[in-house]
Amino acid sequence: MALEKLIDSGKSDIDDILDKFSIYNSFHLKIAALIFLGFATNTAYSSNFIFIAEEVNYTCVKYSPHNSTEGCIEWVYDDPSSFVAEFQLAGQEWKRTLVGTIHSLVYMIGLLIVGPLSDRFGRKNAFIITGVFGGIFGLARSFSHSYWSYIALEFLEAFIGDTCSPAYVLMMEIVSTKQRLKFILMCTIGYTFGGFALAIAAGSIPYWRTLLQAIYTPALLFYFYKYFLDESPRWLLIQGRKEDAVKILERAAKENRVKLDKNINEKLSCDTEESGDFLKIIKITFKSKTLCVRFFVCLIWWTASTFVHYGLTINSVSLQGNKYVNFALISVFDLPGLFVITLILIYCKRKVPLIFCFFAAATLCFTQPFLPKGLPWLSITVFMAGKLMSSFYFNITYLYTSELFPTYTRNSIQALCSSLGRIGSIVSPQTPLLIQYWSGLPSLVFGLVSLIGGIVTFLVPDISSDSLPDTASEAEQIGKSKNNCKLYC
């Protein structure tokens, strides 16, 4: 529908107005670049423990004279400058793996803060706060001189350092439905870049303290996003801040040489009926049985996605070959996958691709342990294919969850699903310990979890071209019609 017709009818659809802007012009390219960097840092911060607290061999050189069978009082480490050596973690493997677990555990709790923070104070402000403070606490870790002070700073970083959640919702809301998938592709390449950059940095900077300083210092630049990043007009409208939303749209129109109706300020209306107190609007959302079912399905998706995706990433360094090269390949392997899954989602909606990816990942994970031992290339290929499928369904889960819930609780519900679902990433750092029972056991567990994720997907509607819903009633209707659900703010 043309913008002029919408104006004549007395209503302006924010989705149709955003559709007037090309995502390849300066306004959206600038936003894409800023979000790209946010996603890249998020990947590096969520995964750096793999290299920081990596396994190091050590040997006991002096036993206690009172207990020569168990009491070692002096160890020699293969790498005396490693994390394990500096904090004297010999014989305490649980302390080494606890670093990854504590990050995921507190990250889960932090999402319960970041989501409502974003819905209450804006996507932009939440993005800046999490980016800057995540960088400060991460950088402070590099100066830790005791294991527990390091864990405390890991706790603080994970608690407030999730740039991904507000950045993703901003990315969703700053473009129209028609251009959403292409814009998401442009931004989420940052995840792949972050993983590849982490592998290069870890391989080039052997000392863990210097590595932390190299990857966290740039995060302090997130402070300047306050001058370069725009807030979501859709969020501003639902908050009743029409004039602020119009200013952003007019500035974008001027920057991209797009002509908007001069009366857009009067014609663009806002429905703030369901905005306000966070607990009140969450209660409104969960009064809907339909949205409750979706929430629990999304919760299973998130648990499966975090557990399998991070589990396979962590276990990739145990594959044959150079661990840095393997990690970089695993990251880069996601890049063509992003283009493929974007094309699939454009033409095949959401539900069928998600089910297929879950089931394909399950099949590959079930197969991997039984491959011939003398063919490492085959094992790595199947492993990477399984990782690719997990990346596919993780990306779809992020998108699908955001599309199923209304604007005024979108980031809160997504953060709640992501938070509770992080039980998967909490457990995943412990999966390498299963190898001592059987080398194929982690893969079988990953396959079973993927299978469950695929089965529950049958319980949600298939959607693709529906506009993002603002209210619970609009959210209940998506997927029920072949026509788009029109969104009027």
Side-chain angles (χ1 to χ4, degrees):
M1 185 182 293
L3 178 61
E4 291 77 10
K5 292 183 179 179
L6 287 167
I7 297 297
D8 292 340
S9 68
K11 290 182 177 179
S12 291
D13 189 325
I14 182 65
D15 213 48
D16 284 273
I17 292 176
L18 289 172
D19 198 39
K20 302 286 286 186
F21 304 109
S22 169
I23 61 174
Y24 304 111
N25 283 339
S26 59
F27 177 76
H28 280 93
L29 286 178
K30 177 185 68 176
I31 293 175
L34 296 175
I35 294 177
F36 173 99
L37 294 175
F39 288 161
T41 57
N42 182 267
T43 299
Y45 300 168
S46 298
S47 305
N48 66 72
F49 69 89
I50 298 174
F51 299 109
I52 298 298
E54 63 183 349
E55 184 178 6
V56 174
N57 292 326
Y58 46 81
T59 305
C60 182
V61 294
K62 186 176 181 181
Y63 291 94
S64 169
H66 304 293
N67 192 347
S68 60
T69 59
E70 297 180 6
C72 184
I73 59 175
E74 185 177 345
W75 304 87
V76 171
Y77 298 85
D78 287 359
D79 182 0
S81 63
S82 66
F83 178 90
V84 173
E86 288 199 18
F87 291 138
Q88 293 294 305
L89 302 184
Q92 304 175 82
E93 187 69 9
W94 65 273
K95 283 188 175 181
R96 185 184 68 81
T97 58
L98 180 64
V99 175
T101 297
I102 201 70
H103 184 97
S104 297
L105 175 62
V106 183
Y107 192 82
M108 178 181 76
I109 301 171
L111 282 168
L112 298 176
I113 305 298
V114 174
L117 180 72
S118 173
D119 282 333
R120 177 66 181 86
F121 297 104
R123 320 316 191 193
K124 173 183 174 178
N125 289 331
F127 191 174
I128 295 171
I129 291 170
T130 55
V132 172
F133 280 95
I136 290 173
F137 292 127
L139 187 60
R141 290 211 324 268
S142 69
F143 300 100
S144 300
H145 290 288
S146 74
Y147 173 80
W148 291 112
S149 66
Y150 184 94
I151 292 295
L153 289 167
E154 184 85 50
F155 181 103
L156 292 172
E157 184 218 326
F159 185 75
I160 198 61
D162 175 37
T163 58
C164 187
S165 180
Y168 194 94
V169 174
L170 173 61
M171 172 185 68
M172 292 278 295
E173 295 178 346
I174 203 70
V175 294
S176 66
T177 300
K178 294 178 183 178
Q179 304 183 88
R180 189 184 305 155
L181 286 171
K182 294 178 182 178
F183 191 69
I184 288 174
L185 173 63
M186 291 165 58
C187 298
T188 52
I189 291 175
Y191 288 126
T192 298
F193 177 81
F196 181 79
L198 174 61
I200 297 299
S204 304
I205 307 173
Y207 187 41
W208 65 274
R209 293 185 187 274
T210 307
L211 175 59
L212 286 174
Q213 292 164 9
I215 63 179
Y216 279 102
T217 300
L220 302 180
L221 297 176
F222 280 123
Y223 171 79
F224 297 100
Y225 274 35
K226 64 182 294 185
Y227 304 110
F228 300 108
L229 186 65
D230 287 300
E231 183 56 87
S232 161
R234 192 184 299 272
W235 177 82
L236 290 170
L237 287 171
I238 205 66
Q239 294 293 316
R241 296 168 57 183
K242 180 175 64 174
E243 292 185 2
D244 292 334
V246 170
K247 286 180 181 178
I248 292 174
L249 293 173
E250 289 178 338
R251 184 168 64 252
K254 182 179 180 180
E255 192 173 331
N256 289 2
R257 298 179 182 179
V258 172
K259 186 176 181 180
L260 296 180
D261 191 284
K262 63 180 181 180
N263 296 320
I264 186 176
N265 191 41
E266 291 74 26
K267 299 289 185 178
L268 190 63
S269 60
C270 298
D271 179 9
T272 61
E273 182 179 345
E274 292 177 308
S275 64
D277 182 72
F278 170 70
L279 294 179
K280 179 181 177 181
I281 56 181
I282 285 288
K283 185 176 180 180
I284 291 173
T285 300
F286 281 105
K287 277 185 177 179
S288 167
K289 293 183 179 179
T290 299
L291 297 186
C292 281
V293 171
R294 290 182 192 173
F295 171 76
F296 286 110
V297 170
C298 290
L299 182 58
I300 294 174
W301 289 347
W302 276 94
T303 303
S305 296
T306 59
F307 177 71
V308 178
H309 183 79
Y310 288 119
L312 289 175
T313 300
I314 292 168
N315 282 272
S316 68
V317 297
S318 299
L319 296 174
Q320 300 179 52
N322 184 284
K323 60 186 175 183
Y324 304 111
V325 173
N326 287 341
F327 192 89
L329 287 175
I330 287 290
S331 299
V332 172
F333 206 62
D334 285 341
L335 185 57
L338 287 174
F339 287 93
V340 172
I341 200 62
T342 299
L343 289 174
I344 291 173
L345 292 176
I346 289 174
Y347 297 106
C348 301
K349 298 189 177 181
R350 308 285 187 266
K351 188 172 182 177
V352 173
L354 184 56
I355 292 173
F356 174 81
C357 291
F358 270 124
F359 287 167
T363 301
L364 290 164
C365 288
F366 285 144
T367 302
Q368 206 269 341
F370 303 102
L371 297 174
K373 299 294 184 182
L375 299 174
W377 64 268
L378 180 60
S379 178
I380 292 176
T381 299
V382 173
F383 184 93
M384 288 188 172
K387 172 65 167 54
L388 182 62
M389 289 298 110
S390 73
S391 177
F392 279 175
Y393 65 65
F394 204 165
N395 280 302
I396 301 174
T397 292
Y398 234 121
L399 174 63
Y400 215 161
T401 303
S402 298
E403 294 175 328
L404 289 171
F405 296 97
T407 296
Y408 58 87
T409 54
R410 178 167 297 118
N411 208 165
S412 296
I413 295 296
Q414 185 194 55
L416 187 59
C417 291
S418 178
S419 173
L420 298 178
R422 294 285 166 173
I423 187 67
S425 56
I426 292 170
V427 176
S428 62
Q430 306 300 325
T431 55
L433 302 179
L434 296 175
I435 295 176
Q436 61 183 310
Y437 301 104
W438 180 45
S439 61
L441 190 54
S443 290
L444 291 185
V445 175
F446 295 145
L448 179 61
V449 173
S450 296
L451 182 63
I452 294 172
I455 292 173
V456 301
T457 307
F458 288 99
L459 300 176
V460 296
D462 203 351
I463 58 175
S464 60
S465 57
D466 298 292
S467 295
L468 290 175
D470 266 351
T471 64
S473 58
E474 289 175 353
E476 289 177 327
Q477 295 303 313
I478 59 174
K480 293 185 178 180
S481 172
K482 293 183 179 179
N483 298 321
N484 291 358
C485 297
K486 292 299 179 183
L487 172 65
Y488 296 101
C489 295

